[in-house]
Amino acid sequence: MQELRLPRYAGLGILILLVAVLVSAAGCGRSIGETIDDATITARVKTALLNDPDVSGLRIDVDTSRGVVTMSGVVKSQNEVQRAMQIARRVGGVVDVRSTLQVNP
């Protein structure tokens, strides 16, 4: 079995890319900590939505800015909208939840 090897400096390239993304986000008036926290909140909300059997997590997009979660996409019912918002509010670090979810049965 052949071992998969990355180029010697591949890790350095990834690190440079990550730093560039974080610095550009900080240049938009947000600290690196805020950027990381928002990304963490987004990931946690999305994971919670995907793990709930009553929500179509794959059809809901999640964005977070300064702890405010905005969900968009198409769901099957108003109950699903309410459930998705309830799930998002339970995630640590969430300041507010906004929805532009569209109902399309």
Side-chain angles (χ1 to χ4, degrees):
M1 185 165 164
Q2 187 175 2
E3 183 178 328
L4 175 65
R5 290 189 168 202
L6 293 175
R8 185 174 187 175
Y9 297 104
L12 181 61
I14 293 170
L15 178 62
I16 291 170
L17 179 61
L18 178 61
V19 169
V21 168
L22 293 176
V23 168
S24 68
C28 296
R30 299 174 65 195
S31 72
I32 292 172
E34 287 176 323
T35 301
I36 293 171
D37 289 345
D38 285 343
T40 301
I41 291 169
T42 297
R44 288 180 179 165
V45 169
K46 189 66 176 177
T47 299
L49 293 172
L50 289 169
N51 286 326
D52 190 282
D54 297 325
V55 175
S56 303
L58 292 175
R59 299 177 72 187
I60 299 175
D61 293 318
V62 179
D63 293 304
T64 307
S65 179
R66 294 191 166 115
V68 178
V69 172
T70 302
M71 294 183 291
S72 59
V74 179
V75 295
K76 295 178 183 174
S77 69
Q78 189 61 37
N79 286 341
E80 190 173 354
V81 172
Q82 296 304 318
R83 178 68 181 148
M85 293 182 69
Q86 178 185 46
I87 290 168
R89 285 187 184 107
R90 291 182 180 168
V91 173
V94 172
V95 175
D96 192 16
V97 178
R98 298 180 181 160
S99 170
T100 60
L101 292 168
Q102 301 293 316
V103 177
N104 187 5

Coordinates of all heavy atoms in Angstrom, one line a residue:
M1 N 0.8 -1.2 0.0 CA 0.0 0.0 0.0 C 0.9 1.2 0.0 O 1.8 1.4 0.8 CB -0.9 0.0 1.3 CG -1.9 1.0 1.3 SD -3.0 0.6 2.6 CE -3.8 2.1 2.9
Q2 N 0.6 2.2 -0.9 CA 1.5 3.3 -1.1 C 1.0 4.4 -0.1 O -0.2 4.7 0.0 CB 1.5 3.8 -2.5 CG 2.5 4.9 -2.8 CD 2.5 5.2 -4.2 OE1 1.8 4.7 -5.0 NE2 3.4 6.2 -4.6
E3 N 1.9 5.1 0.5 CA 1.6 6.2 1.4 C 1.4 7.5 0.7 O 2.2 7.8 -0.2 CB 2.8 6.3 2.4 CG 2.5 7.4 3.5 CD 3.7 7.5 4.5 OE1 4.3 6.4 4.7 OE2 3.9 8.6 4.9
L4 N 0.3 8.2 1.0 CA 0.1 9.5 0.4 C 0.9 10.5 1.0 O 0.9 10.7 2.2 CB -1.4 9.8 0.5 CG -1.8 11.2 0.0 CD1 -1.7 11.2 -1.5 CD2 -3.3 11.5 0.4
R5 N 1.7 11.3 0.2 CA 2.6 12.3 0.7 C 2.2 13.6 0.1 O 2.1 13.7 -1.1 CB 4.0 12.0 0.4 CG 4.5 10.8 1.2 CD 6.0 10.7 1.1 NE 6.5 9.8 2.0 CZ 7.7 9.7 2.4 NH1 8.6 10.5 1.9 NH2 8.1 8.9 3.3
L6 N 2.1 14.6 1.0 CA 1.9 16.0 0.5 C 3.2 16.6 0.2 O 4.2 16.3 0.8 CB 1.1 16.8 1.5 CG -0.3 16.4 1.8 CD1 -0.9 17.2 3.0 CD2 -1.2 16.5 0.6
P7 N 3.3 17.6 -0.7 CA 4.5 18.3 -0.9 C 5.0 18.9 0.5 O 4.2 19.2 1.4 CB 4.1 19.5 -1.8 CG 2.9 19.0 -2.5 CD 2.2 18.1 -1.5
R8 N 6.3 19.1 0.5 CA 7.0 19.4 1.8 C 6.4 20.7 2.4 O 6.3 20.8 3.6 CB 8.5 19.6 1.5 CG 9.2 19.9 2.8 CD 10.7 19.9 2.4 NE 11.4 20.0 3.7 CZ 12.7 20.0 3.7 NH1 13.4 19.8 2.6 NH2 13.3 20.1 4.9
Y9 N 6.0 21.7 1.6 CA 5.5 22.9 2.2 C 4.0 23.1 2.0 O 3.5 24.2 2.1 CB 6.3 24.1 1.5 CG 7.8 24.0 1.8 CD1 8.7 23.6 0.8 CD2 8.2 24.4 3.0 CE1 10.0 23.6 1.1 CE2 9.6 24.3 3.3 CZ 10.5 23.9 2.3 OH 11.8 23.9 2.6
A10 N 3.3 22.1 1.8 CA 1.8 22.2 1.7 C 1.2 22.8 2.9 O 0.3 23.6 2.8 CB 1.2 20.8 1.3
G11 N 1.6 22.4 4.1 CA 1.1 22.9 5.3 C 1.3 24.4 5.4 O 0.4 25.1 5.9
L12 N 2.4 24.9 5.0 CA 2.8 26.3 5.0 C 1.8 27.1 4.1 O 1.3 28.1 4.5 CB 4.2 26.5 4.6 CG 4.7 28.0 4.6 CD1 4.6 28.6 6.0 CD2 6.1 28.0 4.1
G13 N 1.5 26.5 2.9 CA 0.6 27.2 2.0 C -0.8 27.3 2.6 O -1.5 28.3 2.5
I14 N -1.3 26.3 3.3 CA -2.6 26.3 4.0 C -2.6 27.3 5.1 O -3.5 28.1 5.2 CB -2.9 24.9 4.5 CG1 -3.2 23.9 3.3 CG2 -4.2 24.9 5.4 CD1 -3.3 22.5 3.7
L15 N -1.5 27.4 5.9 CA -1.4 28.3 6.9 C -1.4 29.8 6.4 O -2.1 30.6 6.9 CB -0.1 28.1 7.7 CG 0.2 29.1 8.9 CD1 -0.9 29.0 9.9 CD2 1.5 28.8 9.5
I16 N -0.7 30.0 5.3 CA -0.7 31.4 4.7 C -2.1 31.7 4.2 O -2.5 32.9 4.4 CB 0.4 31.4 3.6 CG1 1.8 31.3 4.1 CG2 0.2 32.7 2.7 CD1 2.9 31.2 3.1
L17 N -2.8 30.8 3.6 CA -4.1 31.0 3.1 C -5.1 31.4 4.3 O -5.8 32.3 4.2 CB -4.7 29.8 2.4 CG -6.1 29.9 1.8 CD1 -6.2 31.1 0.9 CD2 -6.5 28.7 1.2
L18 N -5.0 30.6 5.4 CA -5.8 30.9 6.6 C -5.5 32.3 7.1 O -6.4 33.0 7.4 CB -5.6 29.8 7.6 CG -6.3 30.0 8.9 CD1 -7.8 29.9 8.7 CD2 -5.9 28.9 9.9
V19 N -4.3 32.6 7.3 CA -3.9 33.9 7.8 C -4.4 35.0 6.9 O -5.0 36.0 7.3 CB -2.4 34.1 8.0 CG1 -2.0 35.5 8.2 CG2 -1.9 33.2 9.1
A20 N -4.3 34.9 5.6 CA -4.8 35.8 4.6 C -6.3 36.0 4.8 O -6.8 37.2 4.7 CB -4.5 35.4 3.2
V21 N -7.1 35.0 4.9 CA -8.5 35.1 5.1 C -8.8 35.8 6.4 O -9.7 36.7 6.4 CB -9.2 33.7 5.1 CG1 -10.6 33.7 5.6 CG2 -9.1 33.1 3.7
L22 N -8.2 35.4 7.5 CA -8.4 36.1 8.7 C -8.0 37.6 8.7 O -8.8 38.4 9.3 CB -7.7 35.3 9.9 CG -8.2 33.9 10.1 CD1 -7.3 33.3 11.2 CD2 -9.6 33.9 10.5
V23 N -6.9 37.9 8.1 CA -6.5 39.3 8.0 C -7.5 40.1 7.2 O -7.9 41.2 7.5 CB -5.1 39.4 7.5 CG1 -4.7 40.9 7.1 CG2 -4.1 38.9 8.5
S24 N -8.0 39.5 6.1 CA -8.9 40.3 5.2 C -10.2 40.5 6.0 O -10.9 41.5 5.8 CB -9.1 39.5 3.9 OG -9.8 38.3 4.1
A25 N -10.6 39.5 6.8 CA -11.9 39.7 7.5 C -11.7 40.7 8.6 O -12.6 41.5 8.9 CB -12.3 38.3 8.2
A26 N -10.5 40.8 9.2 CA -10.2 41.8 10.2 C -10.2 43.2 9.6 O -10.6 44.1 10.2 CB -8.9 41.5 10.9
G27 N -9.8 43.3 8.3 CA -9.8 44.5 7.6 C -11.2 45.0 7.3 O -11.4 46.2 7.0
C28 N -12.2 44.2 7.5 CA -13.6 44.6 7.3 C -14.2 45.1 8.5 O -15.4 45.1 8.7 CB -14.4 43.4 6.7 SG -13.8 42.9 5.1
G29 N -13.4 45.5 9.5 CA -13.9 46.0 10.8 C -14.2 44.9 11.8 O -14.9 45.2 12.8
R30 N -13.8 43.7 11.6 CA -14.0 42.6 12.5 C -12.7 42.0 13.0 O -11.8 42.0 12.2 CB -14.8 41.5 11.8 CG -16.2 42.0 11.3 CD -16.9 40.9 10.5 NE -17.2 39.8 11.4 CZ -17.6 38.6 11.0 NH1 -17.7 38.4 9.7 NH2 -17.9 37.7 11.8
S31 N -12.7 41.7 14.2 CA -11.4 41.1 14.7 C -11.3 39.6 14.3 O -12.3 39.0 13.9 CB -11.4 41.2 16.2 OG -12.3 40.2 16.8
I32 N -10.1 39.1 14.4 CA -9.9 37.7 14.0 C -10.7 36.8 14.9 O -11.3 35.9 14.5 CB -8.4 37.4 14.1 CG1 -7.7 38.1 12.9 CG2 -8.2 35.9 14.0 CD1 -6.2 38.0 13.0
G33 N -10.8 37.2 16.2 CA -11.6 36.4 17.2 C -13.1 36.4 16.8 O -13.7 35.4 16.9
E34 N -13.6 37.5 16.3 CA -15.0 37.6 15.9 C -15.2 36.7 14.7 O -16.3 36.0 14.6 CB -15.4 39.0 15.6 CG -15.6 39.9 16.8 CD -15.9 41.3 16.4 OE1 -15.4 41.8 15.4 OE2 -16.7 42.0 17.1
T35 N -14.3 36.7 13.8 CA -14.4 35.9 12.6 C -14.5 34.4 12.9 O -15.3 33.7 12.4 CB -13.2 36.2 11.6 OG1 -13.3 37.6 11.3 CG2 -13.4 35.4 10.3
I36 N -13.5 34.0 13.8 CA -13.5 32.6 14.2 C -14.8 32.3 15.0 O -15.4 31.2 14.8 CB -12.2 32.3 15.0 CG1 -11.0 32.5 14.1 CG2 -12.3 31.0 15.7 CD1 -9.7 32.4 14.8
D37 N -15.2 33.1 15.9 CA -16.4 32.9 16.7 C -17.6 32.7 15.8 O -18.4 31.8 16.0 CB -16.6 34.0 17.7 CG -15.6 33.9 18.9 OD1 -14.9 32.9 19.0 OD2 -15.5 34.9 19.6
D38 N -17.7 33.6 14.8 CA -18.9 33.5 13.9 C -18.8 32.3 13.1 O -19.9 31.6 12.9 CB -18.9 34.8 13.0 CG -19.4 36.0 13.7 OD1 -20.0 35.9 14.8 OD2 -19.2 37.1 13.1
A39 N -17.7 31.9 12.7 CA -17.5 30.6 11.9 C -17.9 29.4 12.8 O -18.6 28.5 12.3 CB -16.1 30.4 11.3
T40 N -17.5 29.5 14.0 CA -17.9 28.4 15.0 C -19.4 28.3 15.2 O -20.0 27.3 15.2 CB -17.1 28.6 16.3 OG1 -15.7 28.6 16.0 CG2 -17.4 27.5 17.3
I41 N -20.0 29.5 15.4 CA -21.4 29.5 15.6 C -22.1 29.0 14.4 O -23.1 28.2 14.5 CB -21.9 31.0 15.9 CG1 -21.4 31.4 17.3 CG2 -23.4 31.1 15.8 CD1 -21.5 32.9 17.6
T42 N -21.7 29.4 13.2 CA -22.3 28.9 12.0 C -22.3 27.4 11.9 O -23.3 26.8 11.6 CB -21.7 29.6 10.7 OG1 -21.9 31.0 10.8 CG2 -22.2 29.0 9.4
A43 N -21.1 26.9 12.2 CA -20.9 25.4 12.1 C -21.8 24.7 13.1 O -22.4 23.7 12.8 CB -19.4 25.1 12.3
R44 N -21.9 25.3 14.3 CA -22.7 24.6 15.3 C -24.2 24.7 15.0 O -24.9 23.7 15.2 CB -22.4 25.2 16.7 CG -21.1 24.9 17.2 CD -20.8 25.5 18.6 NE -19.5 25.1 19.0 CZ -18.8 25.7 20.0 NH1 -19.3 26.7 20.6 NH2 -17.6 25.3 20.4
V45 N -24.6 25.8 14.5 CA -26.1 25.9 14.1 C -26.4 25.0 13.0 O -27.4 24.2 13.0 CB -26.4 27.4 13.7 CG1 -27.8 27.4 13.1 CG2 -26.3 28.3 14.9
K46 N -25.5 24.9 12.0 CA -25.7 24.1 10.8 C -25.8 22.6 11.3 O -26.6 21.8 10.8 CB -24.6 24.3 9.8 CG -24.9 23.6 8.5 CD -26.1 24.1 7.7 CE -26.2 23.5 6.4 NZ -27.4 23.9 5.7
T47 N -24.8 22.2 12.1 CA -24.8 20.8 12.6 C -26.1 20.5 13.4 O -26.7 19.4 13.2 CB -23.6 20.6 13.6 OG1 -22.4 20.9 12.8 CG2 -23.5 19.2 14.1
A48 N -26.5 21.4 14.2 CA -27.8 21.2 15.0 C -29.0 21.0 14.1 O -29.8 20.2 14.3 CB -28.0 22.3 16.0
L49 N -29.0 21.9 13.0 CA -30.1 21.7 12.0 C -30.1 20.4 11.3 O -31.1 19.8 11.1 CB -30.0 22.9 11.0 CG -30.3 24.3 11.5 CD1 -30.0 25.3 10.5 CD2 -31.7 24.4 12.1
L50 N -28.9 20.0 10.9 CA -28.7 18.7 10.2 C -29.1 17.5 11.1 O -29.5 16.5 10.6 CB -27.3 18.6 9.7 CG -26.9 19.5 8.5 CD1 -25.4 19.4 8.3 CD2 -27.7 19.1 7.3
N51 N -28.9 17.7 12.4 CA -29.2 16.5 13.3 C -30.6 16.5 13.8 O -31.0 15.6 14.5 CB -28.3 16.6 14.5 CG -26.9 16.2 14.2 OD1 -26.6 15.3 13.4 ND2 -25.9 16.8 14.9
D52 N -31.4 17.5 13.4 CA -32.8 17.5 13.8 C -33.7 16.8 12.8 O -33.7 17.3 11.6 CB -33.3 18.9 14.1 CG -34.6 19.0 14.8 OD1 -35.7 18.7 14.1 OD2 -34.7 19.2 16.0
P53 N -34.5 15.8 13.1 CA -35.3 15.1 12.1 C -36.5 15.9 11.6 O -37.0 15.6 10.5 CB -35.8 13.9 12.9 CG -35.8 14.3 14.3 CD -34.6 15.2 14.5
D54 N -36.8 17.0 12.3 CA -38.0 17.8 11.8 C -37.6 19.0 11.0 O -38.4 19.8 10.6 CB -38.7 18.4 13.1 CG -39.3 17.2 13.9 OD1 -39.7 16.2 13.3 OD2 -39.3 17.3 15.1
V55 N -36.3 19.1 10.7 CA -35.8 20.3 9.9 C -35.0 19.8 8.7 O -34.2 18.9 8.8 CB -34.9 21.2 10.8 CG1 -34.3 22.3 9.9 CG2 -35.7 21.8 11.9
S56 N -35.2 20.4 7.5 CA -34.5 20.1 6.3 C -33.2 20.9 6.3 O -33.0 21.9 5.6 CB -35.3 20.4 5.1 OG -36.5 19.8 5.1
G57 N -32.2 20.4 7.1 CA -31.0 21.1 7.3 C -30.2 21.4 6.1 O -29.5 22.4 5.9
L58 N -30.3 20.5 5.1 CA -29.6 20.7 3.8 C -30.1 21.8 3.0 O -29.4 22.3 2.1 CB -29.6 19.4 3.0 CG -28.8 18.2 3.6 CD1 -29.1 16.9 2.8 CD2 -27.3 18.5 3.7
R59 N -31.3 22.2 3.2 CA -32.0 23.2 2.4 C -31.9 24.6 3.1 O -32.4 25.6 2.6 CB -33.4 22.9 2.2 CG -33.6 21.6 1.4 CD -35.0 21.2 1.3 NE -35.6 22.0 0.3 CZ -36.9 22.0 0.0 NH1 -37.7 21.2 0.6 NH2 -37.4 22.9 -0.9
I60 N -31.2 24.7 4.3 CA -31.1 25.9 5.0 C -29.6 26.4 5.0 O -28.8 25.7 5.4 CB -31.6 25.8 6.5 CG1 -33.1 25.4 6.5 CG2 -31.4 27.1 7.3 CD1 -33.6 25.1 7.8
D61 N -29.4 27.6 4.6 CA -28.1 28.2 4.6 C -28.0 29.1 5.9 O -29.0 29.7 6.3 CB -27.9 29.2 3.4 CG -27.8 28.4 2.1 OD1 -27.2 27.3 2.1 OD2 -28.4 28.9 1.1
V62 N -26.9 29.0 6.5 CA -26.7 29.7 7.8 C -25.5 30.7 7.6 O -24.4 30.3 7.2 CB -26.4 28.8 8.9 CG1 -26.2 29.5 10.2 CG2 -27.5 27.8 9.1
D63 N -25.7 31.9 8.0 CA -24.6 32.9 8.0 C -24.6 33.6 9.4 O -25.7 33.8 10.0 CB -24.8 34.0 6.9 CG -24.6 33.4 5.5 OD1 -23.6 32.8 5.3 OD2 -25.6 33.6 4.7
T64 N -23.5 33.9 9.9 CA -23.4 34.6 11.2 C -22.5 35.8 11.1 O -21.4 35.7 10.5 CB -22.8 33.6 12.3 OG1 -23.6 32.4 12.2 CG2 -22.9 34.2 13.6
S65 N -22.9 36.9 11.7 CA -22.1 38.1 11.8 C -22.3 38.7 13.2 O -23.4 39.1 13.6 CB -22.6 39.1 10.7 OG -21.8 40.3 10.8
R66 N -21.2 38.8 13.9 CA -21.2 39.3 15.3 C -22.2 38.6 16.2 O -22.9 39.2 16.9 CB -21.3 40.8 15.2 CG -20.2 41.5 14.6 CD -20.2 43.0 14.8 NE -18.9 43.5 14.5 CZ -18.7 44.3 13.5 NH1 -19.6 44.7 12.7 NH2 -17.4 44.7 13.2
G67 N -22.4 37.3 16.0 CA -23.3 36.5 16.8 C -24.7 36.5 16.3 O -25.5 35.8 16.9
V68 N -25.0 37.3 15.3 CA -26.4 37.3 14.7 C -26.5 36.3 13.6 O -25.8 36.4 12.6 CB -26.8 38.7 14.2 CG1 -28.2 38.7 13.6 CG2 -26.7 39.7 15.4
V69 N -27.3 35.3 13.8 CA -27.5 34.2 12.8 C -28.6 34.6 11.8 O -29.7 34.9 12.3 CB -27.8 32.9 13.5 CG1 -28.1 31.8 12.5 CG2 -26.6 32.5 14.4
T70 N -28.3 34.4 10.5 CA -29.3 34.6 9.5 C -29.5 33.3 8.7 O -28.5 32.8 8.2 CB -29.0 35.8 8.6 OG1 -28.8 37.0 9.3 CG2 -30.0 36.0 7.5
M71 N -30.7 32.8 8.7 CA -31.0 31.6 8.0 C -31.8 31.9 6.7 O -32.7 32.7 6.8 CB -31.7 30.6 8.8 CG -30.9 30.1 10.0 SD -31.8 28.9 11.0 CE -33.1 29.9 11.7
S72 N -31.4 31.3 5.6 CA -32.1 31.5 4.3 C -32.3 30.1 3.7 O -31.6 29.2 4.0 CB -31.4 32.5 3.4 OG -30.1 32.0 3.2
G73 N -33.2 30.1 2.7 CA -33.4 28.9 2.0 C -34.9 28.6 1.9 O -35.7 29.5 2.2
V74 N -35.2 27.4 1.6 CA -36.6 27.0 1.4 C -37.0 25.8 2.3 O -36.2 24.8 2.3 CB -36.9 26.6 -0.1 CG1 -38.4 26.2 -0.3 CG2 -36.6 27.7 -1.0
V75 N -38.1 25.9 3.0 CA -38.5 24.9 3.9 C -40.0 24.5 3.6 O -40.6 25.2 2.8 CB -38.4 25.3 5.4 CG1 -36.9 25.5 5.8 CG2 -39.2 26.5 5.7
K76 N -40.4 23.4 4.2 CA -41.8 22.9 3.8 C -42.9 23.5 4.6 O -44.1 23.4 4.2 CB -41.8 21.4 4.0 CG -40.8 20.7 3.1 CD -40.8 19.2 3.4 CE -39.8 18.5 2.5 NZ -39.6 17.1 2.8
S77 N -42.7 24.1 5.8 CA -43.8 24.7 6.5 C -43.3 25.8 7.5 O -42.1 25.9 7.8 CB -44.4 23.5 7.4 OG -43.5 23.1 8.4
Q78 N -44.3 26.5 8.0 CA -44.0 27.6 9.0 C -43.5 26.9 10.3 O -42.7 27.5 11.0 CB -45.3 28.4 9.2 CG -45.0 29.7 10.0 CD -44.0 30.6 9.4 OE1 -43.9 30.8 8.2 NE2 -43.1 31.2 10.3
N79 N -44.0 25.7 10.6 CA -43.5 25.0 11.8 C -42.0 24.7 11.7 O -41.3 24.8 12.6 CB -44.3 23.7 12.0 CG -45.7 23.9 12.5 OD1 -46.0 25.0 13.0 ND2 -46.5 22.9 12.3
E80 N -41.6 24.4 10.4 CA -40.1 24.1 10.2 C -39.3 25.4 10.4 O -38.2 25.4 11.0 CB -39.9 23.6 8.8 CG -38.5 23.0 8.7 CD -38.3 22.3 7.3 OE1 -39.3 22.1 6.6 OE2 -37.2 21.9 7.1
V81 N -39.9 26.5 10.0 CA -39.2 27.8 10.2 C -39.0 28.1 11.7 O -37.9 28.4 12.2 CB -40.0 29.0 9.6 CG1 -39.4 30.4 10.0 CG2 -40.1 28.9 8.1
Q82 N -40.1 27.9 12.4 CA -40.1 28.1 13.9 C -39.1 27.2 14.6 O -38.4 27.6 15.5 CB -41.5 28.0 14.5 CG -42.4 29.1 14.0 CD -41.9 30.5 14.2 OE1 -41.4 30.8 15.3 NE2 -42.1 31.3 13.2
R83 N -39.1 25.9 14.2 CA -38.2 24.9 14.8 C -36.7 25.3 14.5 O -35.9 25.2 15.3 CB -38.5 23.5 14.2 CG -37.7 22.4 14.7 CD -37.9 22.2 16.2 NE -37.0 21.1 16.7 CZ -36.4 21.1 17.8 NH1 -36.8 21.9 18.8 NH2 -35.6 20.1 18.2
A84 N -36.4 25.7 13.2 CA -35.1 26.0 12.9 C -34.6 27.2 13.7 O -33.5 27.3 14.2 CB -35.0 26.4 11.4
M85 N -35.5 28.2 13.9 CA -35.1 29.4 14.7 C -34.9 29.0 16.2 O -34.0 29.5 16.8 CB -36.2 30.5 14.6 CG -36.2 31.0 13.2 SD -37.4 32.4 13.0 CE -36.7 33.7 13.9
Q86 N -35.7 28.1 16.7 CA -35.6 27.6 18.0 C -34.3 26.9 18.2 O -33.6 27.1 19.2 CB -36.8 26.7 18.4 CG -36.7 26.1 19.7 CD -37.9 25.1 19.9 OE1 -38.1 24.2 19.0 NE2 -38.6 25.2 21.0
I87 N -33.9 26.1 17.3 CA -32.6 25.3 17.4 C -31.5 26.3 17.4 O -30.5 26.2 18.2 CB -32.5 24.4 16.2 CG1 -33.5 23.2 16.4 CG2 -31.1 23.8 16.0 CD1 -33.7 22.3 15.1
A88 N -31.5 27.3 16.5 CA -30.4 28.3 16.4 C -30.2 29.1 17.7 O -29.1 29.3 18.1 CB -30.6 29.2 15.2
R89 N -31.4 29.4 18.3 CA -31.3 30.2 19.5 C -30.6 29.5 20.7 O -30.1 30.1 21.6 CB -32.7 30.7 19.9 CG -33.3 31.8 19.1 CD -34.6 32.3 19.7 NE -35.1 33.3 18.8 CZ -36.2 33.1 18.0 NH1 -36.8 31.9 18.0 NH2 -36.6 34.1 17.2
R90 N -30.7 28.2 20.6 CA -30.1 27.3 21.7 C -28.6 27.2 21.6 O -27.9 26.7 22.5 CB -30.7 25.9 21.7 CG -32.1 25.9 22.1 CD -32.7 24.5 22.1 NE -34.1 24.4 22.5 CZ -34.8 23.4 22.3 NH1 -34.3 22.3 21.8 NH2 -36.1 23.4 22.7
V91 N -28.0 27.6 20.5 CA -26.6 27.4 20.3 C -25.8 28.5 21.0 O -26.2 29.7 21.0 CB -26.2 27.5 18.8 CG1 -24.7 27.5 18.6 CG2 -26.8 26.3 18.1
G92 N -24.8 28.1 21.8 CA -24.0 29.1 22.5 C -23.4 30.2 21.7 O -22.9 29.8 20.6
G93 N -23.4 31.4 22.1 CA -22.8 32.5 21.4 C -23.8 33.2 20.4 O -23.4 34.3 19.9
V94 N -24.9 32.6 20.2 CA -25.9 33.3 19.3 C -26.5 34.5 20.1 O -27.1 34.3 21.2 CB -27.0 32.3 18.9 CG1 -28.1 33.0 18.1 CG2 -26.4 31.2 18.0
V95 N -26.5 35.6 19.5 CA -27.0 36.9 20.0 C -28.5 37.1 19.6 O -29.3 37.5 20.4 CB -26.2 38.1 19.6 CG1 -26.8 39.4 20.1 CG2 -24.7 37.9 20.1
D96 N -28.7 36.8 18.3 CA -30.0 37.0 17.7 C -30.2 36.0 16.5 O -29.2 35.6 16.0 CB -30.2 38.4 17.3 CG -31.7 38.8 16.9 OD1 -32.6 38.0 17.3 OD2 -31.9 39.8 16.3
V97 N -31.4 35.7 16.1 CA -31.7 34.9 15.0 C -32.6 35.6 14.1 O -33.7 36.0 14.5 CB -32.2 33.5 15.4 CG1 -32.5 32.6 14.2 CG2 -31.3 32.8 16.4
R98 N -32.2 35.6 12.8 CA -33.1 36.2 11.8 C -33.4 35.2 10.7 O -32.5 34.4 10.4 CB -32.4 37.4 11.2 CG -32.1 38.5 12.2 CD -31.5 39.7 11.6 NE -31.3 40.7 12.7 CZ -30.4 41.7 12.6 NH1 -29.7 41.8 11.6 NH2 -30.3 42.5 13.7
S99 N -34.5 35.3 10.1 CA -34.9 34.3 9.1 C -35.4 35.0 7.9 O -36.2 35.9 7.9 CB -36.0 33.4 9.7 OG -36.5 32.6 8.7
T100 N -34.9 34.5 6.8 CA -35.4 34.9 5.5 C -35.9 33.6 4.8 O -36.0 33.5 3.5 CB -34.4 35.7 4.6 OG1 -33.3 34.8 4.4 CG2 -34.0 37.0 5.2
L101 N -36.2 32.6 5.6 CA -36.6 31.3 5.0 C -38.0 31.4 4.3 O -38.9 32.1 4.8 CB -36.8 30.3 6.2 CG -35.4 29.9 6.9 CD1 -35.7 29.1 8.1 CD2 -34.6 29.0 5.9
Q102 N -38.1 30.8 3.2 CA -39.3 30.8 2.4 C -40.0 29.4 2.6 O -39.4 28.4 2.5 CB -38.9 31.0 0.9 CG -38.2 32.2 0.6 CD -39.0 33.5 0.9 OE1 -40.2 33.5 0.5 NE2 -38.5 34.5 1.5
V103 N -41.3 29.5 2.7 CA -42.1 28.3 2.9 C -42.6 27.9 1.5 O -43.3 28.7 0.8 CB -43.3 28.5 3.8 CG1 -44.1 27.2 3.9 CG2 -42.8 28.8 5.2
N104 N -42.3 26.6 1.1 CA -42.7 26.1 -0.2 C -43.1 24.6 0.0 O -42.2 23.8 -0.1 CB -41.7 26.3 -1.3 CG -42.2 25.9 -2.7 OD1 -43.4 25.6 -2.8 ND2 -41.3 25.9 -3.6
P105 N -44.3 24.3 0.3 CA -44.7 22.9 0.6 C -44.5 22.1 -0.7 O -44.2 21.1 -0.9 CB -46.2 23.0 0.9 CG -46.6 24.4 0.9 CD -45.5 25.2 0.4

